[in-house]
Amino acid sequence: MSVREIYKDSEGNRLPSVTTILSRFKDSGGLLYWANQQGLAGKTLDEARMPAASAGTLAHDMVEASLNKRPLPDGAGVAADVVAKAKAAFQTYLAWQEMTKIVVRHTEVSLVSEAHGFGGRLDAIGMMGNQLVLIDWKTSNAVYADHLLQLAGYKTLWEETYPDQLLTGGFHLCRFAKEEGDFSHHYFPNLDKEAAAFLLMRDLYGRMKQIEKRVK
């Protein structure tokens, strides 16, 4: 299990992450349905929260290992059909990378916004032609609004930290379906509206924290 990264500002104050802010405002209906289904399957919440090996997650791990020049995961302990699907998805990703000529320059970039008080870790920054792009990988069965808001939060972090290196090539969301490992690419040339929405969420997150302190 990965260790949650802690973000702090220049004065040492702990800051919420992009994902923490977004999770504060998620619709709880889907989560309640999921928890009920896990209970009906005889699982405790701790058991249900253990990450399950899937073709999508394994393909995602293969991409990260490849970009960081680490040995690819061999899928030990994972069913052979799941490993086969993951390898096929990874090869599809490599074909997309070759087709687009995208060059990844930085991975797992941790940044903090002093202006807005939050932090986050970008999956990757790269070049497509002569334009700078932000790339994010997801393992999910669909693309959700939260994904765009997360990308917008990362955009805010990057452009505050590197104002002279704008993301002129836009935002690339690479998705692996959980069960089958199907690969799909989604391109968003502009996320200015989503960035404005995310900053409103950041403001409301802070206000809610202050309100909650009053009733403790």
Side-chain angles (χ1 to χ4, degrees):
M1 184 178 294
S2 60
V3 178
R4 178 175 296 180
E5 187 164 0
I6 296 175
Y7 302 97
K8 294 183 179 181
D9 62 19
S10 58
E11 296 182 355
N13 300 308
R14 187 164 177 171
L15 303 175
S17 69
V18 170
T19 52
T20 297
I21 293 166
L22 293 176
S23 65
R24 179 67 176 79
F25 303 101
K26 278 188 176 180
D27 179 5
S28 61
L31 180 60
L32 291 174
Y33 175 80
W34 172 82
N36 181 60
Q37 292 298 106
Q38 301 308 308
L40 291 175
K43 296 181 181 180
T44 66
L45 279 179
D46 285 340
E47 291 171 338
R49 284 170 176 158
M50 291 295 289
S54 71
T57 55
L58 186 55
H60 189 161
D61 291 346
M62 288 177 176
V63 170
E64 290 189 342
S66 174
L67 292 174
N68 290 287
K69 303 188 186 309
R70 299 191 299 257
L72 296 182
D74 58 9
V78 180
D81 63 324
V82 173
V83 175
K85 290 176 182 177
K87 288 181 177 179
F90 177 57
Q91 290 302 318
T92 302
Y93 164 78
L94 292 179
W96 169 81
Q97 187 178 27
E98 174 62 26
M99 179 182 67
T100 60
K101 304 300 181 183
I102 198 164
V103 177
V104 175
R105 288 193 168 181
H106 310 285
T107 62
E108 300 177 1
V109 183
S110 294
L111 301 174
V112 164
S113 168
E114 294 282 346
H116 302 289
F118 70 94
R121 185 171 65 180
L122 290 61
D123 275 355
I125 293 291
M127 296 294 295
M128 186 173 285
N130 61 355
Q131 293 185 309
L132 199 65
V133 299
L134 189 153
I135 314 161
D136 196 72
W137 286 272
K138 292 291 180 213
T139 303
S140 64
N141 289 327
V143 174
Y144 302 102
D146 279 359
H147 295 164
L148 295 190
L149 290 166
Q150 186 176 4
L151 284 171
Y154 294 158
K155 159 187 158 63
T156 302
L157 287 170
W158 178 266
E159 294 186 346
E160 179 182 329
T161 307
Y162 302 104
D164 59 337
Q165 300 181 45
L166 298 181
L167 297 163
T168 55
F171 309 86
H172 298 263
L173 179 63
C174 299
R175 182 183 70 87
F176 292 101
K178 289 182 181 179
E179 301 305 322
E180 297 298 325
D182 298 330
F183 173 77
S184 61
H185 165 250
H186 305 267
Y187 169 65
F188 305 96
N190 186 294
L191 291 177
D192 288 347
K193 292 180 180 178
E194 290 78 5
F198 175 81
L199 291 180
L200 289 173
M201 296 173 77
R202 170 62 186 103
D203 181 62
L204 184 55
Y205 176 91
R207 292 174 186 268
M208 290 299 297
K209 285 292 184 182
Q210 291 299 317
I211 293 170
E212 289 164 355
K213 285 181 180 179
R214 296 190 67 182
V215 294
K216 285 186 177 179

